[in-house]
Coordinates of all heavy atoms in Angstrom, one line a residue:
M1353 N 78.9 69.8 72.3 CA 77.8 69.1 73.1 C 77.8 67.6 72.3 O 78.0 67.5 71.2 CB 76.4 69.7 72.7 CG 75.3 69.1 73.4 SD 75.3 69.1 75.2 CE 74.7 70.6 75.6
Y1354 N 77.5 66.7 73.2 CA 77.4 65.3 72.8 C 76.0 64.9 72.1 O 75.0 65.5 72.4 CB 77.5 64.3 74.0 CG 79.0 64.4 74.5 CD1 79.2 65.1 75.8 CD2 79.9 63.6 73.9 CE1 80.5 65.1 76.3 CE2 81.2 63.7 74.6 CZ 81.5 64.4 75.7 OH 82.8 64.4 76.2
D1355 N 76.1 64.0 71.2 CA 74.8 63.5 70.6 C 74.3 62.4 71.5 O 74.7 61.2 71.4 CB 75.2 62.9 69.2 CG 74.0 62.2 68.6 OD1 72.9 62.3 69.0 OD2 74.2 61.4 67.6
V1356 N 73.6 62.7 72.5 CA 73.1 61.8 73.6 C 72.4 60.7 72.9 O 72.6 59.5 73.3 CB 72.3 62.5 74.6 CG1 71.7 61.6 75.6 CG2 73.1 63.6 75.3
E1357 N 71.5 60.9 72.0 CA 70.7 59.9 71.4 C 71.6 58.8 70.7 O 71.4 57.6 70.8 CB 69.6 60.5 70.4 CG 68.5 61.3 71.1 CD 67.8 60.4 72.0 OE1 67.5 59.3 71.7 OE2 67.4 60.9 73.1
G1358 N 72.6 59.4 69.9 CA 73.6 58.5 69.3 C 74.3 57.7 70.2 O 74.6 56.5 70.0
V1359 N 74.8 58.3 71.3 CA 75.6 57.5 72.3 C 74.7 56.4 73.0 O 75.1 55.3 73.1 CB 76.1 58.5 73.4 CG1 76.8 57.7 74.5 CG2 77.2 59.4 72.7
V1360 N 73.5 56.8 73.3 CA 72.6 55.8 74.0 C 72.3 54.7 73.0 O 72.3 53.4 73.3 CB 71.3 56.5 74.5 CG1 70.3 55.5 74.8 CG2 71.6 57.5 75.6
E1361 N 72.1 55.0 71.8 CA 71.8 54.0 70.7 C 73.0 53.0 70.6 O 72.9 51.8 70.5 CB 71.5 54.6 69.4 CG 71.1 53.5 68.3 CD 70.8 54.2 67.0 OE1 70.4 55.3 67.0 OE2 70.9 53.4 66.0
A1362 N 74.1 53.6 70.5 CA 75.4 52.8 70.4 C 75.6 51.9 71.6 O 76.0 50.7 71.5 CB 76.6 53.7 70.2
L1363 N 75.4 52.5 72.8 CA 75.6 51.7 74.1 C 74.7 50.7 74.2 O 75.0 49.6 74.8 CB 75.6 52.7 75.3 CG 76.8 53.7 75.4 CD1 76.6 54.5 76.5 CD2 78.1 52.8 75.5
S1364 N 73.4 50.9 73.7 CA 72.3 49.8 73.9 C 72.8 48.5 73.1 O 72.2 47.5 73.4 CB 71.0 50.3 73.4 OG 71.0 50.5 71.9
K1365 N 73.6 48.6 72.2 CA 74.0 47.5 71.4 C 75.2 46.7 72.1 O 75.7 45.7 71.6 CB 74.4 47.8 70.0 CG 73.2 48.5 69.3 CD 73.7 49.0 67.9 CE 72.5 49.7 67.2 NZ 72.8 50.3 66.0
L1366 N 75.7 47.2 73.1 CA 76.9 46.6 73.8 C 76.5 45.9 75.1 O 75.5 46.2 75.7 CB 77.9 47.7 74.2 CG 78.4 48.5 73.1 CD1 79.3 49.6 73.7 CD2 79.2 47.7 72.1
S1367 N 77.3 44.9 75.5 CA 77.1 44.2 76.7 C 77.6 45.1 77.9 O 78.2 46.1 77.6 CB 77.9 42.9 76.8 OG 79.3 43.2 76.9
Y1368 N 77.2 44.8 79.1 CA 77.6 45.5 80.3 C 79.1 45.6 80.3 O 79.7 46.8 80.5 CB 77.0 44.9 81.5 CG 77.4 45.6 82.8 CD1 76.9 46.8 83.1 CD2 78.3 45.1 83.6 CE1 77.3 47.5 84.2 CE2 78.7 45.6 84.9 CZ 78.2 46.9 85.1 OH 78.7 47.5 86.3
E1369 N 79.8 44.5 80.0 CA 81.3 44.5 80.1 C 81.8 45.4 79.1 O 82.8 46.1 79.3 CB 81.7 43.0 80.0 CG 81.4 42.1 81.0 CD 80.0 41.6 81.1 OE1 79.3 41.7 80.1 OE2 79.6 41.1 82.1
E1370 N 81.2 45.4 77.9 CA 81.7 46.3 76.8 C 81.5 47.7 77.2 O 82.3 48.7 76.8 CB 81.0 46.0 75.5 CG 81.4 44.6 74.9 CD 80.6 44.2 73.7 OE1 79.4 44.4 73.7 OE2 81.1 43.5 72.7
V1371 N 80.4 48.1 77.7 CA 80.1 49.5 78.2 C 81.1 49.9 79.2 O 81.7 50.9 79.0 CB 78.7 49.6 78.8 CG1 78.5 51.0 79.3 CG2 77.6 49.4 77.6
L1372 N 81.5 49.0 80.1 CA 82.6 49.4 81.1 C 83.9 49.6 80.4 O 84.5 50.5 80.8 CB 82.6 48.2 82.1 CG 81.6 48.2 83.4 CD1 81.8 47.0 84.3 CD2 81.6 49.5 84.1
A1373 N 84.2 48.7 79.5 CA 85.5 48.9 78.8 C 85.5 50.2 78.0 O 86.5 50.9 78.0 CB 85.7 47.7 77.8
Y1374 N 84.4 50.5 77.4 CA 84.4 51.8 76.7 C 84.5 53.0 77.7 O 85.2 53.9 77.4 CB 82.9 51.9 76.1 CG 82.5 53.3 75.5 CD1 83.1 53.8 74.3 CD2 81.7 54.1 76.2 CE1 82.8 55.0 73.8 CE2 81.4 55.4 75.7 CZ 81.9 55.8 74.6 OH 81.6 57.1 74.1
W1375 N 83.8 52.9 78.9 CA 83.8 53.9 79.8 C 85.2 54.2 80.5 O 85.7 55.2 80.6 CB 83.0 53.5 81.0 CG 82.1 54.5 81.6 CD1 82.1 55.9 81.5 CD2 80.9 54.2 82.4 NE1 81.1 56.5 82.2 CE2 80.3 55.5 82.7 CE3 80.3 53.1 82.9 CZ2 79.2 55.5 83.6 CZ3 79.3 53.1 83.6 CH2 78.7 54.3 84.0
I1376 N 86.0 53.0 80.7 CA 87.3 53.0 81.2 C 88.3 53.7 80.1 O 89.0 54.6 80.5 CB 87.7 51.6 81.5 CG1 87.1 51.1 82.8 CG2 89.3 51.6 81.7 CD1 87.2 49.6 82.9
A1377 N 88.1 53.3 78.9 CA 88.9 53.9 77.8 C 88.7 55.4 77.7 O 89.6 56.2 77.5 CB 88.7 53.1 76.5
S1378 N 87.4 55.8 77.8 CA 87.0 57.2 77.7 C 87.6 57.9 78.9 O 88.1 59.1 78.6 CB 85.5 57.4 77.8 OG 85.0 56.8 76.6
E1379 N 87.6 57.4 80.0 CA 88.2 58.1 81.2 C 89.7 58.3 81.0 O 90.3 59.3 81.3 CB 87.9 57.5 82.5 CG 86.4 57.5 83.0 CD 86.0 58.9 83.4 OE1 86.9 59.7 83.7 OE2 84.8 59.1 83.6
L1380 N 90.4 57.2 80.6 CA 91.8 57.3 80.3 C 92.2 58.3 79.2 O 93.2 59.1 79.4 CB 92.4 55.9 80.0 CG 92.3 54.9 81.2 CD1 92.7 53.6 80.8 CD2 93.1 55.4 82.4
E1381 N 91.4 58.3 78.2 CA 91.5 59.4 77.1 C 91.4 60.8 77.6 O 92.2 61.7 77.3 CB 90.7 59.1 75.9 CG 90.8 60.0 74.9 CD 92.1 60.0 74.1 OE1 92.8 58.9 74.1 OE2 92.6 61.0 73.5
E1382 N 90.4 60.9 78.5 CA 90.2 62.3 79.1 C 91.3 62.6 80.0 O 91.7 63.8 80.0 CB 89.0 62.1 80.0 CG 88.5 63.4 80.6 CD 87.2 63.3 81.3 OE1 87.2 62.8 82.4 OE2 86.1 63.7 80.7
A1383 N 91.9 61.7 80.7 CA 93.1 62.0 81.5 C 94.3 62.4 80.6 O 95.0 63.4 81.0 CB 93.5 60.8 82.3
R1384 N 94.5 61.8 79.5 CA 95.5 62.2 78.6 C 95.3 63.7 78.0 O 96.2 64.4 78.0 CB 95.7 61.3 77.4 CG 96.4 59.9 77.7 CD 96.6 59.1 76.6 NE 95.5 58.5 76.0 CZ 94.8 57.4 76.4 NH1 95.3 56.7 77.4 NH2 93.8 56.9 75.8
F1385 N 94.0 63.9 77.7 CA 93.6 65.3 77.2 C 93.9 66.3 78.3 O 94.7 67.4 78.0 CB 92.1 65.2 76.9 CG 91.6 66.6 76.6 CD1 91.9 67.2 75.4 CD2 90.8 67.3 77.5 CE1 91.4 68.5 75.0 CE2 90.2 68.5 77.1 CZ 90.5 69.1 75.9
Y1386 N 93.6 66.1 79.6 CA 93.8 67.1 80.6 C 95.3 67.2 80.9 O 95.8 68.3 81.2 CB 93.1 66.7 82.0 CG 91.6 67.0 81.9 CD1 90.6 66.1 82.2 CD2 91.2 68.2 81.5 CE1 89.3 66.3 82.1 CE2 89.8 68.5 81.5 CZ 88.8 67.5 81.7 OH 87.5 67.8 81.7
R1387 N 96.0 66.1 80.9 CA 97.5 66.2 81.0 C 98.2 67.1 80.0 O 99.1 67.9 80.2 CB 98.1 64.9 81.0 CG 98.0 64.2 82.4 CD 98.9 63.0 82.5 NE 98.8 62.4 83.8 CZ 98.6 61.2 84.1 NH1 98.6 60.3 83.2 NH2 98.6 60.7 85.4
E1388 N 97.7 66.9 78.6 CA 98.2 67.7 77.6 C 97.8 69.2 77.8 O 98.7 70.1 77.5 CB 97.7 67.2 76.3 CG 98.1 68.0 75.0 CD 99.6 67.9 74.8 OE1 100.3 67.0 75.4 OE2 100.1 68.8 74.1
L1389 N 96.6 69.5 78.3 CA 96.2 70.8 78.6 C 97.1 71.5 79.7 O 97.5 72.6 79.6 CB 94.8 70.9 79.0 CG 93.7 70.8 77.9 CD1 92.3 70.7 78.5 CD2 93.8 71.8 76.8
A1390 N 97.4 70.6 80.7 CA 98.3 71.2 81.8 C 99.7 71.5 81.2 O 100.2 72.5 81.5 CB 98.4 70.1 82.8
R1391 N 100.2 70.6 80.4 CA 101.5 70.8 79.8 C 101.6 72.1 79.0 O 102.4 72.9 79.1 CB 101.9 69.6 78.9 CG 103.4 69.7 78.3 CD 103.6 68.5 77.4 NE 102.9 68.6 76.1 CZ 103.2 69.4 75.1 NH1 104.2 70.3 75.2 NH2 102.5 69.6 73.9
R1392 N 100.5 72.3 78.2 CA 100.5 73.4 77.3 C 100.2 74.7 78.1 O 100.9 75.7 77.7 CB 99.4 73.3 76.2 CG 99.8 72.2 75.2 CD 98.8 72.2 74.1 NE 99.1 71.0 73.1 CZ 98.7 71.0 71.9 NH1 98.0 72.0 71.4 NH2 99.1 70.0 71.1
A1393 N 99.4 74.6 79.1 CA 99.2 75.8 79.9 C 100.5 76.2 80.6 O 100.8 77.4 80.7 CB 98.0 75.5 80.9
R1394 N 101.2 75.2 81.1 CA 102.5 75.4 81.7 C 103.5 76.1 80.7 O 104.1 77.1 81.0 CB 103.2 74.2 82.3 CG 104.5 74.4 83.0 CD 105.0 73.2 83.6 NE 104.2 72.9 84.9 CZ 103.4 71.8 85.1 NH1 103.4 70.9 84.1 NH2 102.8 71.7 86.2
N1395 N 103.6 75.6 79.4 CA 104.4 76.1 78.5 C 104.1 77.5 78.1 O 105.0 78.3 77.7 CB 104.5 75.2 77.2 CG 105.2 73.9 77.5 OD1 105.9 73.8 78.6 ND2 105.0 72.9 76.6
L1396 N 102.9 77.9 78.1 CA 102.4 79.2 77.6 C 102.4 80.2 78.9 O 102.0 81.3 78.7 CB 101.0 79.2 77.1 CG 100.8 78.4 75.7 CD1 99.3 78.2 75.5 CD2 101.6 79.2 74.7
G1397 N 102.7 79.7 80.1 CA 102.8 80.5 81.2 C 101.4 81.0 81.7 O 101.3 82.2 82.1
L1398 N 100.4 80.2 81.5 CA 99.1 80.6 81.9 C 98.8 80.6 83.4 O 97.6 80.8 83.8 CB 98.1 79.7 81.1 CG 98.1 79.9 79.7 CD1 97.0 78.9 78.9 CD2 98.0 81.3 79.2
G1399 N 99.8 80.2 84.2 CA 99.6 80.2 85.7 C 99.5 78.8 86.2 O 98.9 78.0 85.7
E1400 N 100.1 78.8 87.4 CA 100.2 77.4 88.0 C 98.9 76.9 88.5 O 98.6 75.8 88.6 CB 101.2 77.5 89.2 CG 101.7 76.2 89.6 CD 102.3 75.3 88.5 OE1 102.9 75.8 87.6 OE2 102.2 74.0 88.8
E1401 N 98.0 77.9 88.9 CA 96.6 77.5 89.4 C 95.9 76.7 88.2 O 95.3 75.7 88.4 CB 95.8 78.7 89.7 CG 94.5 78.4 90.4 CD 93.8 79.6 91.0 OE1 94.5 80.6 91.3 OE2 92.6 79.6 91.0
L1402 N 96.0 77.3 87.0 CA 95.4 76.5 85.8 C 96.0 75.2 85.6 O 95.3 74.2 85.4 CB 95.3 77.4 84.6 CG 94.6 76.9 83.4 CD1 93.1 76.6 83.7 CD2 94.8 77.8 82.2
V1403 N 97.3 75.1 85.6 CA 98.0 73.9 85.4 C 97.6 72.9 86.5 O 97.3 71.7 86.1 CB 99.6 74.2 85.5 CG1 100.3 72.9 85.5 CG2 100.1 75.1 84.3
K1404 N 97.5 73.3 87.7 CA 97.1 72.4 88.8 C 95.6 71.9 88.6 O 95.4 70.8 88.9 CB 97.4 73.1 90.1 CG 98.7 73.1 90.5 CD 98.8 73.8 91.9 CE 100.4 73.8 92.3 NZ 100.6 74.4 93.6
T1405 N 94.7 72.8 88.1 CA 93.4 72.4 87.9 C 93.4 71.3 86.8 O 92.6 70.2 87.0 CB 92.6 73.6 87.4 OG1 92.6 74.5 88.4 CG2 91.2 73.2 87.1
F1406 N 94.1 71.5 85.7 CA 94.1 70.5 84.7 C 94.7 69.1 85.2 O 94.2 68.0 84.9 CB 94.9 70.9 83.5 CG 94.1 71.9 82.6 CD1 94.8 73.0 82.0 CD2 92.8 71.9 82.4 CE1 94.1 74.0 81.3 CE2 92.1 72.9 81.6 CZ 92.9 73.8 81.1
E1407 N 95.8 69.2 86.0 CA 96.5 68.0 86.6 C 95.4 67.3 87.5 O 95.3 66.1 87.5 CB 97.7 68.3 87.3 CG 98.8 68.7 86.3 CD 100.1 69.2 87.0 OE1 100.0 69.6 88.2 OE2 101.1 69.4 86.4
K1408 N 94.7 68.1 88.2 CA 93.6 67.5 89.2 C 92.6 66.8 88.4 O 92.2 65.7 88.7 CB 93.1 68.6 90.1 CG 91.9 68.2 90.8 CD 92.2 67.3 92.1 CE 91.0 67.2 92.9 NZ 90.2 66.0 92.8
L1409 N 92.1 67.4 87.3 CA 91.1 66.8 86.5 C 91.6 65.5 85.9 O 90.9 64.5 85.7 CB 90.7 67.8 85.4 CG 89.8 69.0 85.9 CD1 89.7 70.0 84.8 CD2 88.5 68.4 86.3
A1410 N 92.9 65.5 85.4 CA 93.5 64.2 84.9 C 93.5 63.2 85.9 O 93.1 62.0 85.7 CB 94.9 64.5 84.4
Q1411 N 93.9 63.6 87.1 CA 94.0 62.5 88.3 C 92.6 62.1 88.6 O 92.4 60.8 88.8 CB 94.6 63.2 89.5 CG 94.9 62.1 90.6 CD 95.7 61.0 90.1 OE1 96.7 61.1 89.4 NE2 95.3 59.8 90.3
D1412 N 91.6 62.9 88.6 CA 90.2 62.4 88.8 C 89.8 61.5 87.7 O 89.0 60.5 88.1 CB 89.2 63.7 88.9 CG 89.4 64.6 90.0 OD1 90.1 64.2 91.0 OD2 88.9 65.7 90.0
S1413 N 90.1 61.8 86.5 CA 89.8 60.8 85.4 C 90.3 59.5 85.6 O 89.8 58.4 85.4 CB 90.1 61.4 84.0 OG 89.4 62.5 83.8
I1414 N 91.7 59.4 86.0 CA 92.3 58.2 86.3 C 91.6 57.4 87.5 O 91.4 56.2 87.5 CB 93.8 58.4 86.6 CG1 94.5 58.8 85.3 CG2 94.5 57.2 87.2 CD1 95.8 59.3 85.5
S1415 N 91.3 58.2 88.5 CA 90.6 57.6 89.7 C 89.2 56.9 89.2 O 88.9 55.8 89.6 CB 90.2 58.7 90.7 OG 91.4 59.0 91.3
H1416 N 88.5 57.6 88.3 CA 87.2 57.1 87.7 C 87.5 55.8 87.0 O 86.7 54.9 87.1 CB 86.6 58.1 86.8 CG 86.1 59.4 87.5 ND1 85.9 60.5 86.8 CD2 85.9 59.7 88.8 CE1 85.5 61.5 87.7 NE2 85.6 61.0 88.9
A1417 N 88.6 55.8 86.3 CA 88.9 54.6 85.4 C 89.2 53.4 86.4 O 88.7 52.3 86.3 CB 90.1 54.9 84.6
R1418 N 89.9 53.8 87.5 CA 90.3 52.6 88.4 C 89.0 52.1 89.1 O 88.9 50.9 89.3 CB 91.2 53.2 89.4 CG 92.6 53.3 88.9 CD 93.6 53.8 90.0 NE 94.9 54.1 89.4 CZ 95.8 54.9 89.9 NH1 95.4 55.7 90.9 NH2 97.0 55.1 89.3
D1419 N 88.1 53.1 89.6 CA 86.8 52.7 90.1 C 86.0 51.8 89.1 O 85.4 50.7 89.6 CB 86.0 53.8 90.5 CG 86.5 54.6 91.6 OD1 87.4 54.1 92.4 OD2 86.0 55.8 91.9
L1420 N 86.0 52.1 87.9 CA 85.3 51.3 86.9 C 86.0 49.9 86.7 O 85.3 48.9 86.6 CB 85.2 52.0 85.5 CG 84.2 53.3 85.6 CD1 84.5 54.1 84.3 CD2 82.8 52.8 85.7
E1421 N 87.2 50.0 86.7 CA 88.0 48.6 86.6 C 87.7 47.7 87.8 O 87.5 46.5 87.6 CB 89.5 48.9 86.5 CG 89.9 49.4 85.2 CD 91.5 49.9 85.1 OE1 92.0 50.1 86.2 OE2 92.0 50.0 84.0
S1422 N 87.6 48.4 89.0 CA 87.2 47.6 90.2 C 85.9 47.0 90.0 O 85.5 45.9 90.4 CB 87.3 48.5 91.4 OG 87.0 47.8 92.5
T1423 N 84.9 47.8 89.6 CA 83.5 47.4 89.3 C 83.5 46.2 88.3 O 82.9 45.2 88.5 CB 82.7 48.5 88.7 OG1 82.6 49.6 89.8 CG2 81.2 48.0 88.4
A1424 N 84.3 46.3 87.2 CA 84.3 45.3 86.2 C 84.9 44.0 86.8 O 84.4 42.9 86.6 CB 85.1 45.7 85.0
F1425 N 85.9 44.1 87.7 CA 86.5 43.0 88.4 C 85.5 42.3 89.2 O 85.4 41.1 89.3 CB 87.8 43.4 89.1 CG 88.5 42.3 89.7 CD1 89.2 41.4 89.1 CD2 88.3 42.1 91.1 CE1 89.9 40.3 89.7 CE2 89.0 41.1 91.7 CZ 89.8 40.1 91.1
D1426 N 84.9 43.1 90.0 CA 83.9 42.6 91.0 C 82.8 41.8 90.3 O 82.3 40.8 90.7 CB 83.2 43.8 91.8 CG 84.2 44.4 92.8 OD1 85.3 43.7 93.1 OD2 83.9 45.4 93.4
Q1427 N 82.3 42.5 89.1 CA 81.3 41.7 88.4 C 81.8 40.4 87.8 O 81.0 39.4 87.8 CB 80.8 42.6 87.2 CG 79.8 43.7 87.6 CD 78.5 43.2 88.0 OE1 78.1 43.4 89.1 NE2 77.8 42.4 87.2
A1428 N 83.0 40.4 87.3 CA 83.5 39.2 86.8 C 83.7 38.0 87.7 O 83.7 36.8 87.4 CB 84.9 39.5 86.1
R1429 N 83.9 38.4 89.0 CA 84.0 37.4 90.1 C 82.7 36.8 90.5 O 82.7 35.8 91.2 CB 84.7 38.0 91.4 CG 86.1 38.4 91.0 CD 86.8 38.6 92.3 NE 86.0 39.3 93.3 CZ 86.4 39.9 94.3 NH1 87.7 40.1 94.6 NH2 85.5 40.5 95.2
Q1430 N 81.6 37.4 90.1 CA 80.2 36.8 90.5 C 80.0 35.6 89.7 O 80.3 35.5 88.5 CB 79.2 37.8 90.3 CG 79.2 39.0 91.2 CD 78.0 40.0 91.0 OE1 77.1 39.7 90.3 NE2 78.2 41.1 91.7
P1431 N 79.3 34.6 90.3 CA 78.8 33.5 89.4 C 77.9 33.9 88.3 O 77.2 35.0 88.4 CB 77.9 32.6 90.4 CG 78.4 33.0 91.7 CD 78.8 34.5 91.6
P1432 N 78.0 33.3 87.1 CA 77.3 33.7 85.8 C 75.8 34.0 86.2 O 75.2 35.0 85.7 CB 77.6 32.6 84.9 CG 78.8 32.0 85.3 CD 78.8 32.2 86.7
R1433 N 75.1 33.2 86.9 CA 73.6 33.4 87.2 C 73.4 34.7 87.9 O 72.5 35.4 87.6 CB 73.1 32.2 87.9 CG 71.6 32.4 88.1 CD 71.0 31.2 88.9 NE 71.2 30.0 88.4 CZ 71.3 28.8 89.1 NH1 71.0 28.9 90.4 NH2 71.7 27.8 88.5
E1434 N 74.3 35.0 88.9 CA 74.1 36.2 89.7 C 74.4 37.4 88.9 O 73.8 38.4 89.0 CB 75.1 36.1 90.9 CG 74.8 37.2 91.9 CD 75.7 37.0 93.1 OE1 76.1 35.9 93.5 OE2 76.0 38.1 93.7
Q1435 N 75.4 37.3 87.9 CA 75.7 38.4 87.0 C 74.4 38.8 86.2 O 74.2 40.0 86.0 CB 76.8 38.1 86.1 CG 78.2 38.2 86.7 CD 79.2 38.0 85.6 OE1 79.0 38.1 84.5 NE2 80.4 37.5 86.1
A1436 N 73.7 37.8 85.7 CA 72.6 38.1 84.8 C 71.5 38.7 85.6 O 70.7 39.4 84.9 CB 72.2 36.8 84.1
N1437 N 71.3 38.4 86.8 CA 70.1 38.8 87.5 C 70.3 40.0 88.4 O 69.3 40.5 88.9 CB 69.6 37.7 88.4 CG 69.1 36.5 87.5 OD1 68.6 36.7 86.5 ND2 69.2 35.3 88.0
S1438 N 71.5 40.5 88.6 CA 71.7 41.6 89.5 C 72.2 42.9 88.8 O 73.0 42.7 87.8 CB 72.9 41.2 90.5 OG 74.0 41.0 89.9
P1439 N 71.7 44.0 89.1 CA 72.1 45.2 88.5 C 73.5 45.5 88.9 O 74.1 44.9 89.8 CB 71.3 46.3 89.2 CG 70.8 45.6 90.4 CD 70.7 44.2 90.3
P1440 N 74.2 46.4 88.1 CA 75.6 46.8 88.5 C 75.7 47.3 89.9 O 74.7 48.0 90.3 CB 75.9 47.9 87.4 CG 74.9 47.8 86.4 CD 73.6 47.1 87.0
K1441 N 76.7 47.1 90.6 CA 76.9 47.5 91.9 C 77.2 49.0 91.9 O 77.9 49.5 91.0 CB 78.2 46.9 92.6 CG 78.0 45.4 92.8 CD 79.2 44.9 93.6 CE 79.0 43.4 93.8 NZ 80.2 42.8 94.4
R1442 N 76.6 49.8 92.8 CA 76.8 51.2 92.9 C 77.9 51.5 93.9 O 77.9 50.9 95.0 CB 75.6 52.0 93.2 CG 74.5 51.7 92.2 CD 73.4 52.6 92.3 NE 73.7 53.7 91.4 CZ 73.3 55.0 91.6 NH1 72.6 55.3 92.7 NH2 73.7 56.0 90.8
R1443 N 78.8 52.4 93.7 CA 79.8 52.8 94.7 C 79.4 54.1 95.3 O 79.0 55.0 94.6 CB 81.2 52.9 94.0 CG 81.6 51.6 93.4 CD 83.1 51.4 93.5 NE 83.4 50.2 93.0 CZ 83.9 49.2 93.7 NH1 84.0 49.4 95.0 NH2 84.2 48.1 93.2
S1444 N 79.6 54.2 96.6 CA 79.3 55.5 97.3 C 80.5 56.4 97.4 O 81.6 55.9 97.4 CB 78.8 55.1 98.7 OG 77.9 54.2 98.8

């Protein structure tokens, strides 16, 4: 289980851009973790269904990182005044 209070406290000290960078790095780390689980599951003969599940989770994490990178890029392209006054864009 995560220390939610600790994470919120740490994130509250970061800028929006720093939070996005943290999030992106976390998603990429998660993708590496799932790829390693897929590799080990395959090596242990735990079944292709489990291997494919881990591979799908890795791909999902990479997709999340790309979405966040796109959000960061979109934010960076806004004029500074608009960045300060507008909330982060939500993706559907």
Side-chain angles (χ1 to χ4, degrees):
M1353 186 60 86
Y1354 290 102
D1355 174 14
V1356 175
E1357 293 299 321
V1359 170
V1360 170
E1361 182 180 338
L1363 292 176
S1364 72
K1365 298 174 184 175
L1366 301 175
S1367 70
Y1368 178 70
E1369 292 80 12
E1370 291 170 323
V1371 170
L1372 280 177
Y1374 168 81
W1375 225 340
I1376 291 165
S1378 295
E1379 290 290 347
L1380 294 174
E1381 180 64 28
E1382 187 175 78
R1384 285 188 289 274
F1385 174 73
Y1386 285 128
R1387 282 195 175 131
E1388 180 63 18
L1389 286 175
R1391 186 186 71 77
R1392 290 184 184 204
R1394 182 175 283 118
N1395 289 345
L1396 291 171
L1398 297 180
E1400 197 58 27
E1401 186 174 333
L1402 183 60
V1403 171
K1404 286 181 180 183
T1405 298
F1406 288 139
E1407 289 172 344
K1408 169 76 168 93
L1409 290 169
Q1411 190 56 49
D1412 288 348
S1413 295
I1414 290 169
S1415 292
H1416 296 159
R1418 286 182 184 150
D1419 288 346
L1420 291 166
E1421 287 170 341
S1422 177
T1423 298
F1425 180 75
D1426 289 348
Q1427 280 296 118
R1429 291 189 331 192
Q1430 291 182 8
R1433 185 181 307 156
E1434 193 174 333
Q1435 282 185 20
N1437 295 327
S1438 64
K1441 293 181 182 177
R1442 300 194 93 208
R1443 298 212 177 253
S1444 305

